[in-house]
Amino acid sequence: MQLAKHWRLKGPRYRLAAVRHPETGAICFPPPADSAEWDEVALSGQGVVESFAAVGKAADGFVDGSIMALIRLAEGPVITAQLTDLEYADVTIGLQVEMVTRKLRDLGPDGLIVYGYKFRPLLSQV
Amino acid sequence: MAKPVLPTGIVGYGAYVPRFRITGAEISRMWDGGPGTPVAEKSVPGPDEDTITMSIEAGRNALRRAEVAATELGAVWIGSESHPYAVKPSGTVVAEALGCGVQISAADWEFACKAGTEALTAAMGMVGSGMLPYAMAVGADTAQGRPGDALEYTAAAGAAALIVGPAERAVATIEATLSVVTDTPDFFRRAEQVYPVHGNRFTGTPAYFGHISNAARGLLDQLGAEPGDFSYVVFHQPNTKFPQTVGKQLGFRPEQIAPGLLAPRIGNTYSAASLLGLCATFDVARAGDRIMVVSYGSGAGADAYALTVTDRLAAVRELAPVTSTYIERRTEIDYATYAKWRGKLVMG
């Protein structure tokens, strides 16, 4: 079930916990493995769709037809994430999105429910 | 009647309602239910939503309005009858997602549809006694109804989060609360069963109406107050009719109930229902308004609260989406999609 892996990733996944280099100020997400000395910083969750694609045949545990996107976060990093609360026809490059914490995977009746970030259109613009 | 020792209030509130709706007419079409349904439509959680995800969004909204850091919370308590895990508290995930510190209490509460107000009363106790600076109480549910049962028309999804803190930072001060509990088997679900059972008309007079009336009248009497002293009142709302009927019986006017009456548009959000109604009432209330809230939970019990709005409410209202933003964001789905998403199809 890879419980340790999911546990290690909970901060970045649940709330976009990133790290800032104490000297250069560079923000890195997800935090690199050797960032124990960096400062934790919470990202705003605001971003813009840079590119996107529908997943025709998803990997086990994911849903066919889900929409993956490259999101440029307001603080700079570009991440890959699933879009939610919209249809494929409604996605455009440049769409402003915000982070929500949703179910990513359900590992079955004897498994973990994996939560993490997805992005949706700004609620104020729906 | 219980009163906090220290001046205490609600310092932040946040609502969440999923965007999907199924109409009563669509459910009736499937089951030959005829015209006239208990609510016009109900909210349905998306396939990536549950009590934990909805609690997180409601909690974030409450933190924005409270203008306190998540690390200042001493408790995150989730009231629900649809916790995703039988064993592993929803509050553990919600507290982590909100960015709370590890020195925190995070437990789950249960009491049918008043699990959220159980958490609220506990939060009042901890803050009102000076043991904690701030405590978050959430009511959230993704309710299930057996296919074709009367409950299927109303069993909905939503969440509401309240942060209890010192009265000087409150959007509404808490004057007092009163709880009523009896052993009344109007609605229950045995362990391992998927769907609850209910006592049809037995859920009315001895259950919903009896307990809400006792709690509301008890609090009014002990405060020396009358229904006319309150600008607004919010009751638990399992359907459109019950809260309007109990309001009339108690002597409240329809306009006192109207802002917090959400059931016609989103159904019965169970543990969230009375708290979401309070959120919607906060969205329109003004400084000085007194608000009465009375929850109801099957089994059975009711919690009544008397609140008074402060001038801070208007200053923080727009820091997070108002309740109507979520309610007006609606995407209608058909029964087949609803049945698939809600796990009603047995895959063999």
Side-chain angles (χ1 to χ4, degrees), chain A residues 48-65:
Chain A
V48 174
V49 172
E50 293 241 318
S51 189
F52 64 97
V55 179
K57 182 63 183 167
D60 284 350
F62 294 92
V63 180
D64 292 349

Side-chain angles (χ1 to χ4, degrees), chain B residues 229-252:
Chain B
D229 297 334
F230 290 83
S231 303
Y232 302 105
V233 63
V234 182
F235 298 110
H236 176 57
Q237 34 203 280
N239 52 42
T240 303
K241 190 173 154 189
F242 274 26
Q244 293 176 311
T245 302
V246 79
K248 189 175 179 183
Q249 289 173 351
L250 287 165
F252 289 97

